[in-house]
Amino acid sequence: MSRPRPLDPIPSIKAKWSIVIVAAVAVTALMSQIGLHLGWPVWIRPVIAGALALLAVQFLAHGMTYPLRQMATSAKAMARGDYSRTVQTTTNDEVGQLANAFNGMAAELADSDRQQKEFIANASHELRTPVAALQSTLENLVDGVGTPDRATLGRMLAQSEHLGRLVNQLLDLNRLEAGADRLGTHELDVGDLLHDLVGELRLSHPVAMFDVKAAMGLRIQGDKNQLERVFTNVIGNALRFSPIGCPVTIVASRQNGSVRISVKDQGPGIPENERGKVFERFWQADGSAPTGGGGAGLGLAISKRIVDQHHGEITIGDNQPSGACVVISLPANPVASDLPIDEWQASGSPKGDALAS
Ligand code: ADP
């Protein structure tokens, strides 16, 4: 059983040390007086007074530095990669607060260490798949088992493109998480941006249908390339999951100083309990990518980091009545936000644009 720590309830280390010093001085003075009164020899009085003062200090200050010693041991263990040692504290003074903060930091470091290991394991797994496929095809060609015909070379090209995309996504994610990319700050018209993107997507997806409604004058400040990347990924996902013949609906409007862009499809949707997970790195629903062409579960993780850097928000809305709805909110350009609401509405009656082919 641990010895009692009488000063634990005192919430200040300064007050504790003051009490310890006063108690030591009081015990020394008291014992000197008692010794004098009892006629103890001169040399023995300070020895007994000092010994009792030390005992009083031991009793009162017991455990005051224990968390500090534990922190030193835990820090050494953390340097070796062991984050499991927590610091025990029963006091709420500055040392106790430091111990609690230390425990919080250790938990965060343990979590980030776990995430990093998971990330490396996932990334290695994702990279190994196309590398293994390429290697086995090349081995067959070298052994003369396969023929380097157009179809085989096409498959190899697709695998190497997939590999290249993956490496680029990993590098981008790394740069975004490290905050190493400086964002461009262009003034952008959201309607123009969306119409241009949809125009390009129509070329690569000739049978896809889009229904774009963007209010006029929706201006934001941001990095054009990065934001195009976010919309391309979100609209690309919607196209992948939408049944053929069902349009992807894109609506951009102004809402409380923000520009809100929703991308809605009529696919299987994203279950409520998985809506937070889709922004995690490498997360993919079981059996996703029904129409093929899926990535490695990095697209929305990258999109979220880009939107965060623009001080915006990306969320999954309700599946109503079916399908997934991804909502991106970005701060409206202050100049446009300063427009009186009537003026904005007058200049920006929603423009509907159904693009289908
Ligand atoms: P990926 O490149 O694999 O699609 P994303 O990060 O873009 O990666 O998406 C992660 C996962 O979220 C997808 O694999 C899929 O399971 C789910 N998801 C994303 N968009 C949709 C959507 N529109 N409908 C249904 N599921 C989606």
Side-chain angles (χ1 to χ4, degrees):
M1 211 176 80
S2 63
R3 274 162 51 202
R5 294 176 184 169
L7 299 186
D8 266 4
I10 296 170
S12 153
I13 198 89
K14 228 170 163 182
K16 279 183 180 177
W17 280 115
S18 305
I19 292 172
V20 170
I21 291 166
V22 168
V25 171
V27 169
T28 313
L30 186 69
M31 287 318 296
S32 300
Q33 282 304 313
I34 291 173
L36 192 69
H37 187 70
L38 296 178
W40 291 349
V42 173
W43 64 269
I44 213 159
R45 269 185 264 149
V47 174
I48 293 180
L52 285 174
L54 272 179
L55 278 177
V57 169
Q58 272 298 317
F59 173 70
L60 289 173
H62 166 65
M64 265 166 71
T65 56
Y66 181 62
L68 295 174
R69 290 197 301 278
Q70 270 193 322
M71 267 184 255
T73 314
S74 302
K76 281 182 196 149
M78 279 158 71
R80 294 192 304 271
D82 174 7
Y83 298 95
S84 61
R85 291 164 192 247
T86 50
V87 179
Q88 310 294 331
T89 177
T90 50
T91 171
N92 207 21
D93 63 10
E94 290 87 343
V95 174
Q97 288 165 21
L98 181 64
N100 288 331
F102 186 91
N103 286 340
M105 182 192 74
E108 271 174 35
L109 282 174
D111 193 44
S112 107
D113 188 56
R114 184 189 52 76
Q115 281 184 22
Q116 201 175 347
K117 283 181 180 148
E118 257 177 42
F119 178 71
I120 291 170
N122 284 328
S124 316
H125 173 77
E126 292 293 338
L127 289 169
R128 207 169 46 197
T129 311
V131 169
L134 266 174
Q135 202 174 336
S136 72
T137 317
L138 281 168
E139 273 169 10
N140 287 344
L141 292 180
V142 171
D143 294 346
V145 182
T147 44
D149 53 27
R150 214 182 154 79
T152 310
L153 294 175
R155 271 200 307 277
M156 286 172 64
L157 180 64
Q159 294 289 359
S160 65
E161 280 172 354
H162 177 65
L163 202 55
R165 255 196 321 271
L166 199 56
V167 170
N168 284 339
Q169 281 191 319
L170 287 170
L171 289 173
D172 290 343
L173 194 60
N174 192 33
R175 271 208 304 271
L176 283 164
E177 288 188 346
D181 270 347
R182 196 177 292 173
L183 289 181
T185 47
H186 317 115
E187 202 201 43
L188 306 168
D189 184 292
V190 174
D192 289 349
L193 191 85
L194 291 172
H195 283 102
D196 289 351
L197 271 180
V198 166
E200 281 169 28
L201 283 166
R202 288 180 72 205
L203 297 176
S204 50
H205 298 78
V207 291
M209 293 173 72
F210 298 93
D211 185 2
V212 187
K213 292 189 184 74
M216 276 165 62
L218 292 175
R219 293 192 187 283
I220 54 171
Q221 197 96 23
D223 189 302
K224 188 165 185 276
N225 292 337
Q226 299 282 32
L227 289 173
E228 274 179 356
R229 195 167 174 191
V230 172
F231 293 125
T232 307
N233 178 57
V234 172
I235 300 171
N237 279 348
L239 280 178
R240 239 168 71 211
F241 287 93
S242 255
I244 294 168
C246 297
V248 169
T249 309
I250 304 165
V251 179
S253 56
R254 187 164 167 239
Q255 208 177 57
N256 303 330
S258 295
V259 173
R260 180 185 189 275
I261 304 110
S262 65
V263 178
K264 191 164 171 12
D265 63 64
Q266 293 173 38
I270 301 173
E272 202 166 345
N273 60 334
E274 291 180 352
R275 287 187 200 153
K277 294 186 193 155
V278 294
F279 300 107
E280 288 173 14
R281 299 176 296 192
F282 295 110
W283 191 88
Q284 288 178 300
D286 290 342
S288 55
T291 55
L298 290 173
L300 286 177
I302 292 176
S303 301
K304 177 162 170 45
R305 278 151 187 87
I306 295 174
V307 172
D308 284 351
Q309 286 196 351
H310 283 82
H311 309 290
E313 204 184 6
I314 177 167
T315 51
I316 306 295
D318 279 337
N319 305 343
Q320 276 185 358
S322 66
C325 179
V326 180
V327 181
I328 298 163
S329 291
L330 293 161
N333 186 329
V335 179
S337 312
D338 288 346
L339 286 176
I341 190 98
D342 292 345
E343 195 176 326
W344 179 84
Q345 281 173 340
S347 69
S349 56
K351 177 170 85 170
D353 182 357
L355 301 167
S357 52

